[in-house]
């Protein structure tokens, strides 16, 4: 998993509450067994006017040229609700997002995001609304995030502090998912396995 220390990226807005995982990545695209290739299907039913994904919806914000290449998503409360599919953060990351900012997240999505290298940032609703307003009125609106300092800088220079559990912060800073955390202890694992009695093998 790619480590996260600081990130400065173009921000875009999804100004809806209760965006569920079926809206993030519809169920018909869940047949892949690897984590890549889901970005093209992100928000499929909103991004496209047809089932095949050949006709872009010009009204959907991610299709606006000014938001091409956005890597920071600012959205509303309860983002990632619905089913527990891990494909939702896979799709967001594969599209290019590194940071999701909202007043609240669904618990399972929140954990899945961190385990897949995405940084979900919880801010008070009024601060999120300020970010939305700044992103919408500033072309090329970048948001800067410093995970080491736990600070976020808005497009117009306002600095917000955020919090994250120590374990989640450690894992993101060091690029550790569940497998990576296990492999940190590889020497101890090897030593244990080398000393297992023959009769137990």
């Amino acid at each position: 998993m790619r480590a996260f220390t600081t990130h400065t990226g173009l921000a875009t807005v999804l100004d809806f509450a209760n965006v569920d995982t079926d809206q993030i990545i519809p169920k018909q695209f869940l047949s892949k067994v690897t984590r890549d290739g889901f970005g093209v299907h992100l928000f499929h039913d909103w991004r496209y006017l047809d089932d095949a994904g050949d006709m872009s919806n010009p009204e959907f914000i991610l299709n606006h040229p000014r938001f091409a290449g956005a890597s920071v998503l600012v959205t509303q409360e309860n983002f990632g609700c619905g089913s527990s599919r891990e494909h939702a953060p896979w799709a967001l990351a594969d599209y290019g997002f590194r940071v999701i900012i909202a007043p609240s997240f669904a618990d399972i999505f929140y954990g899945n995001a961190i385990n897949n290298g995405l940084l979900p940032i919880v801010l008070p609703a009024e601060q999120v609304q300020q970010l939305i307003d700044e992103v919408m009125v500033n072309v090329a609106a970048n948001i800067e995030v410093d995970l080491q300092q736990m600070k976020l800088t808005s497009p117009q220079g306002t600095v917000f502090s955020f919090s994250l559990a120590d374990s989640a912060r450690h894992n993101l800073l060091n690029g550790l998912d569940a497998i990576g955390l296990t492999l940190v202890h590889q020497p101890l694992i090897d030593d244990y396995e080398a000393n297992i009695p023959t009769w137990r093998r």
Side-chain angles (χ1 to χ4, degrees), residues 17-25 43 46 78-83 88:
N18 304 308
V19 175
D20 66 35
T21 51
D22 195 52
Q23 291 164 321
I24 296 171
I25 179 72
F43 302 126
W46 292 334
N78 200 30
F79 186 81
C81 57
S83 69

Side-chain angles (χ1 to χ4, degrees), residues 57-68:
N57 176 3
E59 300 300 318
F60 185 57
I61 193 165
L62 290 190
N63 293 333
H64 294 185
R66 64 172 283 202
F67 293 117

Side-chain angles (χ1 to χ4, degrees), residues 110 114 147 164-173:
Y110 185 86
I114 292 168
L147 183 56
L164 190 70
D166 288 343
S167 58
R169 180 173 175 270
H170 171 83
N171 292 347
L172 285 168
L173 286 171

Side-chain angles (χ1 to χ4, degrees), residues 34-184:
T34 59
R35 299 184 183 190
D36 57 351
F38 289 99
V40 68
H41 305 303
L42 179 69
F43 302 126
H44 181 277
D45 293 343
W46 292 334
R47 283 172 68 193
Y48 304 107
L49 297 174
D50 63 324
D51 291 339
D54 296 325
M55 298 174 57
S56 295
N57 176 3
E59 300 300 318
F60 185 57
I61 193 165
L62 290 190
N63 293 333
H64 294 185
R66 64 172 283 202
F67 293 117
S71 60
V72 179
L73 179 64
V74 186
T75 187
Q76 296 289 5
E77 66 269 14
N78 200 30
F79 186 81
C81 57
S83 69
S84 60
R85 63 188 66 165
E86 196 171 15
H87 305 76
W90 291 358
L92 288 157
D94 191 60
Y95 182 86
F97 286 113
R98 291 284 279 154
V99 179
I100 314 293
I101 303 167
S104 62
F105 293 89
D107 289 343
I108 294 176
F109 173 86
Y110 185 86
N112 284 340
I114 292 168
N115 290 337
N116 286 280
L118 279 172
L119 174 58
I121 295 177
V122 176
L123 291 178
E126 61 272 16
Q127 293 182 0
V128 170
Q129 189 59 53
Q130 179 179 335
L131 290 174
I132 289 173
D133 293 342
E134 290 188 22
V135 169
M136 295 308 295
V137 301
N138 290 276
V139 176
N142 285 338
I143 288 178
E144 179 181 341
V145 177
D146 187 331
L147 183 56
Q148 293 176 317
Q149 299 297 319
M150 306 282 276
K151 294 188 182 298
L152 175 157
T153 305
S154 79
Q156 295 181 355
T158 303
V159 177
F160 298 127
S161 297
F162 62 90
S163 61
L164 190 70
D166 288 343
S167 58
R169 180 173 175 270
H170 171 83
N171 292 347
L172 285 168
L173 286 171
N174 292 281
L176 297 173
D177 57 13
I179 294 173
L181 277 171
T182 301
L183 293 179
V184 167

